[in-house]
Amino acid sequence: MTEGYDFTNRTALVTGAASGIGAACARWLDRNGIGKLVLIDRDGDGLGKLGLSCEVECHQADVADEGFWQSLEPKIDRLDHAVVNAGIGTGGRIADLDFAEWRRVMAINLDGAFLTLSTALRAMRKTGRGSAVVTASITGLKPVPGIGAYGVSKAAVAHMARIAAAENAGHGIRVNAIAPGGVDTAIWNSPDNEAQFAEHGREAVIAQMGKTTPRGRFATADELARDIGYLLSDASANVTGTVLTSDGGYTL
């Protein structure tokens, strides 16, 4: 193991784990010796296809369901790390956005993140150590027209992570957030992009979108998993309350 990246005998919780960044984090932790993974996603079938070698506990659930967390928390014997990752994307300008759509996004991206993080923090306090990473977005730092609900939800979770870091440093718990730019995940498979994908092919459209960044391409989920893994690991022992920008230079 690389120094600071040994997760032997530790337990990590990952939400949104069936695909994208969450699945990549689960695999990264597995490769780096994690003892047990607690994986949560609405896509139960996807959770069963990750091909992990460590002990795995899967829950098909909605992270915005308070009852789920109330039932899970007493069953958590130990928790060392958490990846607060589940989220959905949406389009629409604020003046035109339906309130029901606004609430749908906030319920998953913000309320679900709060329920996940608060549960994880209480579990970590039992052992007096731990680390959590919240998946925010560069759109929570840089205003991007047309995705108001998503951007606002991600700005909120980034600040939530910083507040949680201040509240829990004395408990031996670190909390950070990551703000990705464009990442090639299923979040782009939206109705807004279906026509372009059908006409030009998904790979070509994503490649063209990636050319708008200084790096010239979108990140992969595995690249983001390595960044998140660093923040979770002992290699970042002095890092807490930060929002790591990983955007290929998009905000330059």
Side-chain angles (χ1 to χ4, degrees), residues 63-158:
V63 293
D65 179 1
E66 183 183 13
F68 164 71
W69 292 105
Q70 289 174 336
S71 66
L72 178 65
E73 185 170 352
K75 302 172 186 176
I76 301 175
D77 296 326
R78 171 180 175 172
L79 188 65
D80 302 286
H81 309 286
V83 181
V84 185
N85 172 72
I88 58 172
T90 191
R93 293 177 178 268
I94 288 182
D96 306 316
L97 193 64
D98 183 77
F99 182 63
E101 178 64 6
W102 172 274
R103 281 304 321 148
R104 185 179 76 92
V105 174
M106 293 299 166
I108 297 172
N109 291 7
L110 179 53
D111 299 345
F114 161 75
L115 290 167
T116 306
L117 183 59
S118 60
T119 301
L121 291 171
R122 288 190 294 271
M124 291 177 190
R125 284 183 177 188
K126 295 176 183 178
T127 57
R129 69 182 307 275
S131 62
V133 178
V134 177
T135 303
S137 168
I138 203 63
T139 63
L141 306 178
K142 174 184 171 66
V144 177
I147 54 169
Y150 180 78
V152 170
S153 72
K154 292 302 186 178
V157 298

Side-chain angles (χ1 to χ4, degrees), residues 4-13 28-30 32-38 54-55 78-81 129-131 174 229-236:
Y5 287 83
D6 185 358
F7 292 83
T8 303
N9 296 324
R10 298 186 188 181
T11 298
L13 181 151
W28 187 92
L29 286 164
D30 187 42
N32 283 274
I34 196 76
K36 179 180 178 180
L37 286 170
V38 180
C54 65
E55 180 183 351
R78 171 180 175 172
L79 188 65
D80 302 286
H81 309 286
R129 69 182 307 275
S131 62
R174 298 184 299 108
Y230 163 72
L231 291 174
L232 290 175
S233 75
D234 294 344
S236 64

Side-chain angles (χ1 to χ4, degrees), residues 19-25 27-28 31 182-186 217-228:
S19 63
I21 294 172
C25 286
R27 294 187 180 107
W28 187 92
R31 290 195 299 272
V183 184
D184 185 3
T185 68
R217 69 169 178 84
F218 281 173
T220 66
D222 287 337
E223 287 172 328
L224 265 295
R226 289 194 289 271
D227 292 338
I228 292 169

